[in-house]
Amino acid sequence: MKIDILMATYNGEKYLKEQIDSILEQTNQDFRLLISDDMSTDNTRAILNDYVSTDNRVVVFLQNKNLGPVKNFEYLMKKVESSYFMFADQDDIWQKDKIEQSVRKLEETNSDLVYTNLQVVNENLDVMYPSYWKLKGFEKKAKKFHHFESLYLNNYITGCTMLVKSKWIDKILPLPQKSNYILHDYWTALVVSKFGKIDFIEKPLVKYRQHVNNRIGSKRKSDEIKEFEEMRNLFIEVKLDHFKTFLQNIDVFEDDAMKQVTKEAYQYFTDLKNHKKLQRKQIQLFWELYQYENIRYRLENFLILNMPSLAKPLFQIKKGLKKG
């Protein structure tokens, strides 16, 4: 087999069959579907057993303790035997030629990782947003930069769209286990982009289903926050987690300059959290860190983080307009 497709499941009975069928019906059939179930308590395991009994491409691992999504995907990555691997969510739908197009792009460009856009749909597969990249403001980054430096601050590569050469697994593992925000897909994209070549397919090849039980979806947590201080604290919390995780795993990147910048970034966000007076060099660091973000994002984050007294009334006006 050329490709191992890795799917972590947990209580996914509602949409699981649709997703598995969309994978098994791909135009490229040269794959195994490796599924690790994380102690589901619904009908998920019965559904998986039905597929195992009828299709030898499906291989299922039943965990006897709850691993969580990151450890579950790490478990599967250790089972990879094929030249390439892909991540799959349990509730999406793959376009019939997703594998075919991804393999073609990777081999034509001699890339190490290829990713695609997504189409955001509701639980009934009605289209909500035709382009996930456009919805999230990722278009410029995804289509123009697609390199390590632009991934360093924020991830824009979704795990279920990736095709990756398996030779990088030893470099990727172990996955960071203590972060709430740097998950298997971000870490994989970051490591491969540091040492290899990544490319993209602009066409959406996944129907990215949004529903009430999504662990991670198209919505931003900050959109639900009503108080400015809570939002600012969230921004700082996310980046402290982000740079702390980098520091804990910094040796993977073999880059002294990155180590120094990461230390400075962690200190910058620590000082923001502690309301310490910022140094000029820290303001300069902000612009360096955010240089690949779009102008609006940069300005909004600069004001929220560094000039909260000015940003707060603007935040309140924005919330008021949304209510109106």
Side-chain angles (χ1 to χ4, degrees):
M1 292 293 179
K2 180 176 284 189
I3 304 158
D4 282 336
I5 301 170
L6 314 181
M7 179 187 293
T9 59
Y10 178 71
N11 288 352
E13 63 175 1
K14 188 171 184 180
Y15 306 112
L16 184 57
K17 290 184 68 175
E18 283 184 284
Q19 167 66 318
I20 292 177
D21 288 345
S22 78
I23 294 173
L24 297 180
E25 294 167 3
Q26 288 287 300
T27 55
N28 183 325
Q29 291 281 299
D30 193 14
F31 64 84
R32 295 190 304 167
L33 175 56
L34 308 183
I35 304 175
S36 175
D37 183 70
D38 202 18
M39 291 288 292
S40 289
T41 57
D42 63 358
N43 200 40
T44 293
R45 291 194 168 191
I47 294 170
L48 296 179
N49 286 332
D50 286 343
Y51 281 100
V52 170
S53 65
T54 58
D55 196 315
N56 60 14
R57 292 172 296 170
V58 181
V59 180
V60 172
F61 305 94
L62 302 177
Q63 302 300 333
N64 57 18
K65 64 178 181 179
N66 189 265
L67 299 178
V70 174
K71 285 187 178 180
N72 212 2
F73 275 114
E74 180 173 275
Y75 176 89
L76 287 168
M77 291 173 76
K78 292 177 180 178
K79 299 293 183 182
V80 170
E81 298 175 358
S82 302
S83 300
Y84 308 144
F85 71 92
M86 307 176 84
F87 295 120
D89 293 338
Q90 65 180 3
D91 48 10
D92 299 327
I93 298 290
W94 284 16
Q95 304 286 14
K96 282 186 176 294
D97 59 349
K98 178 181 186 294
I99 297 177
E100 180 182 351
Q101 287 204 48
S102 299
V103 170
R104 184 188 308 123
K105 182 72 171 184
L106 186 139
E107 294 181 345
E108 287 178 352
T109 59
N110 193 27
S111 295
D112 298 284
L113 182 153
V114 165
Y115 62 99
T116 82
N117 200 347
L118 310 93
Q119 186 182 65
V120 182
V121 300
N122 64 17
E123 59 184 18
N124 298 316
L125 302 181
D126 300 317
V127 177
M128 300 166 65
Y129 304 99
S131 169
Y132 179 73
W133 292 357
K134 186 173 182 179
L135 170 67
K136 301 288 283 186
F138 291 161
E139 278 191 304
K140 183 178 180 181
K141 293 180 73 173
K143 292 164 62 177
K144 182 178 179 180
F145 297 129
H146 52 274
H147 51 56
F148 175 77
E149 289 78 11
S150 63
L151 279 164
Y152 175 72
L153 184 72
N154 284 314
N155 184 38
Y156 51 88
I157 301 179
T158 309
C160 61
T161 73
M162 293 180 184
L163 172 70
V164 190
K165 287 183 177 176
S166 301
K167 69 178 185 179
W168 294 107
I169 289 178
D170 288 343
K171 193 74 174 174
I172 296 165
L173 298 182
L175 297 172
Q177 301 292 335
K178 297 180 180 180
S179 175
N180 293 318
Y181 302 102
I182 297 181
L183 304 181
H184 61 284
D185 54 354
Y186 187 9
W187 188 252
T188 296
L190 197 69
V191 171
V192 176
S193 70
K194 178 64 175 174
F195 300 101
K197 178 183 178 183
I198 66 175
D199 214 319
F200 70 95
I201 297 171
E202 185 174 359
K203 180 181 178 182
L205 296 180
V206 177
K207 291 185 182 294
Y208 193 37
R209 196 191 311 249
Q210 304 301 296
H211 54 88
V212 68
N213 293 321
N214 279 83
R215 184 177 186 275
I216 297 174
S218 65
K219 292 183 179 179
R220 295 183 299 181
K221 186 176 179 180
S222 59
D223 291 337
E224 302 172 359
I225 291 176
K226 297 180 180 179
E227 299 298 329
F228 173 80
E229 288 77 11
E230 184 183 357
M231 182 183 69
R232 184 172 184 270
N233 289 338
L234 174 64
F235 283 20
I236 294 171
E237 172 197 325
V238 169
K239 291 309 174 195
L240 282 173
D241 178 285
H242 183 115
F243 292 115
K244 181 179 180 180
T245 302
F246 281 5
L247 287 173
Q248 291 171 338
N249 299 274
I250 202 70
D251 291 343
V252 172
F253 299 102
E254 304 171 9
D255 188 332
D256 290 338
M258 177 189 171
K259 185 175 183 179
Q260 183 60 36
V261 170
T262 304
K263 285 182 177 179
E264 293 173 359
Y266 185 74
Q267 186 60 54
Y268 163 64
F269 283 97
T270 300
D271 288 347
L272 286 173
K273 181 179 180 180
N274 296 329
H275 305 286
K276 289 189 176 181
K277 184 177 180 180
L278 298 178
Q279 304 298 315
R280 182 176 179 179
K281 66 177 183 179
Q282 290 178 304
I283 301 300
Q284 293 172 336
L285 175 65
F286 171 89
W287 294 111
E288 179 182 346
L289 293 173
Y290 284 76
Q291 63 182 302
Y292 294 102
E293 305 301 325
N294 64 58
I295 293 175
R296 178 179 175 180
Y297 185 88
R298 273 182 280 171
L299 290 175
E300 285 184 348
N301 277 262
F302 180 80
L303 291 174
I304 291 167
L305 295 172
N306 301 291
M307 304 179 70
S309 60
L310 178 59
K312 183 175 181 177
L314 296 175
F315 170 85
Q316 292 171 334
I317 291 171
K318 184 177 179 180
K319 286 293 183 181
L321 290 174
K322 284 187 176 180
K323 286 183 180 179

